Amino acid sequence: MLIGSVGLAVGLLLGGLLLVAVLHYVLIRAVDNGARGTADDIASLISADALADPIPTAGTQYIQVLDAQDRIRAASVGADRLRPLLHDDELARARSGHVVVVAANRIGLTGQLRVVAARSTDRTVLVAAPDRDVQESVLTVRDVLLIAYPLLVGALAGLAWHVVGWALAPVEALRQGAEEISGGQAGRLPVPEGDDEVHRLGMTLNRMLGRLDAARQRQRDFVADAAHELRSPIASLRTQLDVAAHIGEPASIPDLAVEVDRLGRLVDDLLLLARAEEGDPRLRRREPVELTALLRDVAPSGARVPVHVTPGEPQWTIGDPGALRQVFDNLVTNAVRHATSRVTLAAGRSADRVVVTVTDDGPGIPAADRDRVFDRFTRLDDARARDSGGAGLGLAIVRELVRLHNGTIILGDAGPGLRVAIALPPRP
């Protein structure tokens, strides 16, 4: 605010100085033009042999008419009839067209005289115009500016202070709200009414805070769910070890291996999901992938139900082969787990996308739950054993990996069963 006030004061000062300079220039030029006009008129009267003596004049001009010997032949009222206004060197400059400035005390006045000359045959017309009125006008304007300038600067500074304070009041409210939120209090920033930049800034910041709150909530849920899921295999391992220590017999290696494998799968899935959500560059490798061949590779040969790959033309996309293999492997594993008699895999084209479908004839997923199943640790059958049902991370991993490949995943009815369709961009 201080810098703005100083800048305003300097700007007004420069503007005032420029105004005084321009006013002085304009008034002086008007005086000179008036004197030249009078000199030309007198020269015209001399040429017409119609010059009166004394020479009539309007205003405060003083006129002398000199002959070839620089003697005064005619003059206006108040002008000296014995001595010319200008000395010889000054007279020569005036006759060459210059404006000669001399002291006004030569005719008993104060200030300065601005003298011009005009020629007519062998006569020279001198017209002197005092600049006293010009100087008084300039001084008057200067004095007015000296009084009005500080008052104007003070008034504008006060007005700017109030206007800036009023304009920044919503910003201060946003700052105070942000201070409260950063202090640990939950909430949203106060958004001012209107449709200006501050209003849009407040709305954007509140949306950002909403996303941050949602991310923190997801993080808390993730930590809680992960801790809950990890507790079971760890508790099982601890129980088996405690029992073995209590009865004095070594623990069952196969049983321990099952729990260790289960714990390892859970940790691997958690790490993969975290990498996918963060957009790990290791999952962004791009190379041509033929999807029909990839489906044949992931189709298990000794599964509980047969897995059939529908033959068709090769369908190519660009992506990370390992990540896409993980996607289809998770989907096929889920389909085999819930299928009644068969699982069908197929790859084809639909408009400008390559679509891979995984279809089973199991119980399917209710339409109301088809969004929820992509959340972490989601199990639609809460009574299902964890050993046979998994940790509930498979579809969450699938969604994140498909998103990294600029694809979409849709769950639909297969009548009976579930149809999972993944649409990926084709290879250019």
Side-chain angles (χ1 to χ4, degrees), residues 273-345:
L273 183 58
R275 289 170 53 197
E277 289 182 342
E278 293 297 328
D280 193 326
R282 289 174 294 180
L283 299 176
R284 292 180 177 271
R285 187 161 56 97
R286 294 294 179 262
E287 61 183 69
V289 179
E290 205 284 289
L291 297 175
T292 302
L294 185 58
L295 292 177
R296 295 194 188 98
D297 291 341
V298 300
S301 57
R304 184 179 63 86
V305 296
V307 179
H308 175 68
V309 179
T310 302
E313 297 181 357
Q315 302 296 333
W316 292 86
T317 187
I318 297 293
D320 185 290
L324 292 175
R325 177 183 292 273
Q326 180 74 39
V327 168
F328 300 134
D329 186 65
N330 285 5
L331 292 177
V332 171
T333 300
N334 284 344
V336 170
R337 180 182 300 130
H338 298 97
T340 301
S341 61
R342 59 184 173 82
V343 174
T344 303
L345 311 181

Side-chain angles (χ1 to χ4, degrees), residues 248-259:
E249 295 181 1
S252 173
I253 298 300
D255 292 340
L256 293 178
V258 170
E259 296 299 334

Side-chain angles (χ1 to χ4, degrees), residues 83 102-113:
R83 286 184 307 179
V102 298
N105 58 12
R106 294 185 182 184
I107 58 174
L109 300 176
T110 58
Q112 294 178 328
L113 293 175

Side-chain angles (χ1 to χ4, degrees), residues 385-415:
R386 296 179 185 272
D387 292 338
S388 62
L393 293 174
L395 288 180
I397 294 173
V398 167
R399 180 181 61 181
E400 294 302 324
L401 293 179
V402 170
R403 179 182 61 83
L404 286 179
H405 286 78
N406 299 318
T408 58
I409 180 170
I410 299 176
L411 305 184
D413 290 320

Side-chain angles (χ1 to χ4, degrees), residues 261-281:
D261 290 342
R262 181 176 154 201
L263 186 60
R265 288 195 305 271
L266 179 59
V267 172
D268 290 341
D269 287 346
L270 288 173
L271 290 177
L272 179 58
L273 183 58
R275 289 170 53 197
E277 289 182 342
E278 293 297 328
D280 193 326

Side-chain angles (χ1 to χ4, degrees), residues 74-192:
S76 62
V77 176
D80 194 341
R81 288 179 172 271
L82 298 178
R83 286 184 307 179
L85 287 170
L86 302 179
H87 302 152
D88 292 342
D89 57 336
E90 297 170 342
L91 189 58
R93 289 181 55 214
R95 284 171 174 161
S96 65
H98 292 88
V99 177
V100 179
V101 180
V102 298
N105 58 12
R106 294 185 182 184
I107 58 174
L109 300 176
T110 58
Q112 294 178 328
L113 293 175
R114 302 183 65 83
V115 184
V116 299
R119 302 293 294 272
S120 177
T121 61
D122 59 345
R123 304 292 175 91
T124 300
V125 180
L126 297 179
V127 178
D131 66 352
R132 181 175 55 190
D133 293 340
V134 172
Q135 300 300 333
E136 289 178 353
S137 299
V138 172
L139 290 176
T140 300
V141 172
R142 187 197 66 182
D143 293 341
V144 170
L145 288 178
L146 287 177
I147 297 174
Y149 173 75
L151 297 177
L152 182 60
V153 170
L156 291 178
L159 179 62
W161 181 272
H162 288 290
V163 170
V164 171
W166 172 79
L168 294 181
V171 179
E172 176 62 19
L174 290 176
R175 187 200 66 79
Q176 292 179 355
E179 186 71 23
E180 294 176 356
I181 294 175
S182 63
Q185 300 181 15
R188 291 292 182 268
L189 298 176
V191 179

